[in-house]
Amino acid sequence: MHISKQEYARRRKALMNQMEPGSIAILPAAPVHIRNRDVEHVYRQDSDFQYLTGFPEPEAVAVLIPGREHGEYVLFCREKDPERELWDGYRAGQEGAVASYGADDAFPISDIDDILPGLIEGRERVYYAMGANQEFDMRLTSWIHTIRSKARMGAEPPKEFVALDHLLHDMRLYKSAAEVRVMQAAGDISAEAHVRAMQACRPGMYEYQLEAELQYTFMRHGSRSPAYSSIVAAGRNACILHYTENTSQIRDGDLVLIDAGCELDCYASDITRTFPANGRFTAEQRAIYDIVLQAQAAAFDVIGPGRDWNEAHDATVRVITAGLLELGLLRGELEELVVSGAYRPFYMHRAGHWLGMDVHDVGEYRVGGEWRVLEPGMVMTVEPGIYIAADNQDVPAKWRGIGIRIEDDVLVTREGHEILTGKVPREADEIEALMARARAAADLPA
């Protein structure tokens, strides 16, 4: 499941059509990051660079020059080097950049200081994401200074820098049919991983053992990495929103909150499920779980074209506040509690975020001071939660340490919406039945 070379070309053309005449766009590839000493992190391409080029290598710079006679898309990249390829792997080289990745022209990255200033000269404006790559910022500034130093000899330096990410990130917000197919595949893989974790879970295991089940499923289906650090949080750890240690032992009676999703072809998935380690919710756990599930359903009801971004969040706030009020965890009048934010000690985050090449994807949430109106092709998460801290002395002891979040990935369609991650159970009864079947198959006591 991949994005085609033709789609990358369409994206470049769409971006260039939005650029002012007489301009140039410059995008560097992601740098290589050192993990420790001479060991590198696994390389992952910069999302904006990937979106426009599909080129997976480091030490590369993409240049778009609308109207250039000898080709509008220029790629600087590493040269073929049999000795280095023996050590570090295949390189496309300049021929591969043209033949396999659609560049009109390609040059060695080692020649960029000699060639790129000449491409910039005479262009009125430079589209570039200043601040995203500080090292490259300095190089680009140096090239501009070099051109300016030759102004008396007739050199024409650019007069303006324009934020490239503003245009590009708005494009990335609208997913094509091909992107949706990749994200659906990622969602299916992640759903299978969550089901496997539920089936494998037993009290006495460690959180990292469930993380291993997730990672195994991701990689078995071709995903090379999670889209973000997987959260496997048992018991009170579930009340830590970004818990990633995953080292605690899972106890009988614990809930296990797993927030994990794979990345496929540089597209993210993002699923959270919460389930009982022993396969049965307690009465208190079930009461909180059902409120969160109702909140998610209320959010789904207001997602569709023409609705605004914030409606889903407001829907979850109202359901969660009403539920906490009914259980006696909040006291007062519903409207006043919603307006005052009395729910925030229990529900302290937003109901979701954009999803795409980044798990917290790009795109404005407000336009002209108003919440963004949803349109077909946008993908968002819906992830209400309730977290009752283990040391919260304001609630009865039976509620303390319960942390529950339920999260799915949702595509806005012309007719309404489509849940991309629906292949993993959400209903408490379904989860208990799934876990009971797994225990029965393993011939373990219920």
Side-chain angles (χ1 to χ4, degrees):
M1 196 71 64
H2 297 287
I3 304 299
S4 69
K5 184 166 70 172
Q6 291 74 22
E7 176 150 339
Y8 288 116
R10 286 195 296 271
R11 294 172 180 176
R12 293 190 294 270
K13 180 59 70 174
L15 176 62
M16 287 189 283
N17 286 341
Q18 296 180 71
M19 292 166 59
E20 293 288 337
S23 58
I24 184 171
I26 302 171
L27 295 91
V32 172
H33 293 287
I34 300 298
R35 181 182 184 274
N36 59 297
R37 196 166 169 80
D38 56 355
V39 176
E40 298 171 355
H41 280 286
V42 174
Y43 186 72
R44 201 279 193 183
Q45 188 57 274
D46 173 79
S47 294
D48 285 342
F49 187 93
Q50 177 74 18
Y51 182 79
L52 288 177
T53 69
F55 191 73
E57 298 180 24
E59 298 181 69
V61 175
V63 182
L64 301 181
I65 315 171
R68 178 174 178 260
E69 183 180 351
H70 300 294
E72 297 178 314
Y73 170 34
V74 177
L75 187 63
F76 293 88
C77 59
R78 301 176 301 185
E79 293 184 88
K80 295 290 287 181
D81 184 336
E83 184 175 348
R84 289 314 314 165
E85 289 179 63
L86 177 67
W87 287 89
D88 302 325
Y90 171 80
R91 296 180 177 187
Q94 283 64 59
E95 288 187 10
V98 173
S100 300
Y101 295 97
D104 296 316
D105 218 344
F107 300 103
I109 190 68
S110 56
D111 292 343
I112 194 168
D113 289 330
D114 298 324
I115 297 173
L116 187 51
L119 297 176
I120 296 172
E121 185 183 341
R123 296 281 155 177
E124 292 186 18
R125 51 187 64 76
V126 177
Y127 285 81
Y128 176 72
M130 189 67 71
N133 183 329
Q134 292 187 350
E135 182 179 342
F136 197 83
D137 289 353
M138 295 174 65
R139 295 188 70 185
L140 179 57
T141 303
S142 174
W143 294 324
I144 299 296
H145 285 322
T146 298
I147 298 169
R148 285 175 178 162
S149 71
K150 299 176 182 178
R152 291 183 181 179
M153 295 180 284
E156 298 179 41
K159 299 178 178 64
E160 184 181 5
F161 275 90
V162 182
L164 174 61
D165 37 342
H166 177 72
L167 292 179
L168 198 51
H169 292 176
D170 206 61
M171 288 175 59
R172 282 177 52 187
L173 185 57
Y174 299 87
K175 308 302 186 289
S176 69
E179 289 178 289
V180 171
R181 284 193 293 272
V182 175
M183 294 186 72
Q184 180 66 75
D188 289 345
I189 293 168
S190 297
E192 182 179 323
H194 278 261
V195 168
R196 184 181 177 93
M198 290 179 187
Q199 293 170 325
C201 185
R202 303 288 185 270
M205 293 179 71
Y206 285 83
E207 292 164 340
Y208 54 75
Q209 291 176 298
L210 290 187
E211 184 180 9
E213 300 289 344
L214 300 167
Q215 185 68 12
Y216 167 78
T217 307
F218 294 167
M219 297 192 74
R220 188 165 66 89
H221 290 290
S223 166
R224 300 295 294 145
S225 71
Y228 52 96
S229 296
S230 297
I231 297 169
V232 182
R236 64 192 296 166
N237 295 337
C239 295
I240 303 170
L241 298 184
H242 292 156
Y243 173 82
T244 56
E245 284 84 353
N246 301 351
T247 54
S248 295
Q249 190 169 30
I250 301 167
R251 301 170 304 173
D252 193 15
D254 278 351
L255 287 176
V256 180
L257 184 156
I258 295 181
D259 186 338
C262 75
E263 181 177 277
L264 193 65
D265 200 22
C266 287
Y267 284 85
S269 57
D270 189 0
I271 301 176
T272 306
R273 290 293 185 270
T274 311
F275 56 90
N278 62 14
R280 300 289 296 181
F281 289 95
T282 67
E284 290 77 19
Q285 291 168 350
R286 178 65 182 262
I288 300 296
Y289 189 92
D290 285 346
I291 295 170
V292 177
L293 188 63
Q294 289 162 18
Q296 192 191 42
F300 291 155
D301 287 342
V302 294
I303 294 175
R307 311 303 291 255
D308 76 50
W309 164 260
N310 201 50
E311 286 185 73
H313 177 70
D314 284 347
T316 64
V317 164
R318 178 165 290 275
V319 171
I320 286 173
T321 304
L324 294 173
L325 183 60
E326 185 176 344
L327 293 180
L329 294 170
L330 290 176
R331 293 180 178 83
E333 295 296 323
L334 176 60
E335 294 302 328
E336 292 177 4
L337 293 171
V338 169
V339 171
S340 69
Y343 57 87
R344 289 197 183 102
F346 305 100
Y347 178 33
M348 61 289 293
H349 59 77
R350 301 283 303 175
H353 50 79
W354 299 130
L355 185 72
M357 299 187 79
D358 298 311
V359 68
H360 293 154
D361 207 32
V362 295
E364 299 293 338
Y365 292 96
R366 285 180 177 270
V367 177
E370 300 293 331
W371 289 110
R372 187 156 204 154
V373 174
L374 301 180
E375 299 179 62
M378 296 177 175
V379 180
M380 59 195 290
T381 65
V382 179
E383 50 176 311
I386 294 176
Y387 316 89
I388 308 172
D391 59 356
N392 187 339
Q393 300 299 311
D394 296 330
V395 302
K398 65 180 182 178
W399 301 109
R400 296 174 196 163
I402 295 177
I404 293 170
R405 182 164 65 252
I406 306 170
E407 177 180 20
D408 284 283
D409 305 342
V410 181
L411 166 70
V412 181
T413 65
R414 288 188 178 88
E415 296 76 27
H417 68 267
E418 180 183 341
I419 299 171
L420 301 179
T421 49
K423 292 184 179 179
V424 52
R426 276 190 299 271
E427 297 285 344
D429 289 342
E430 291 180 310
I431 290 171
E432 289 184 343
L434 172 71
M435 297 182 73
R437 288 193 299 271
R439 294 174 75 86
D443 198 27
L444 293 173

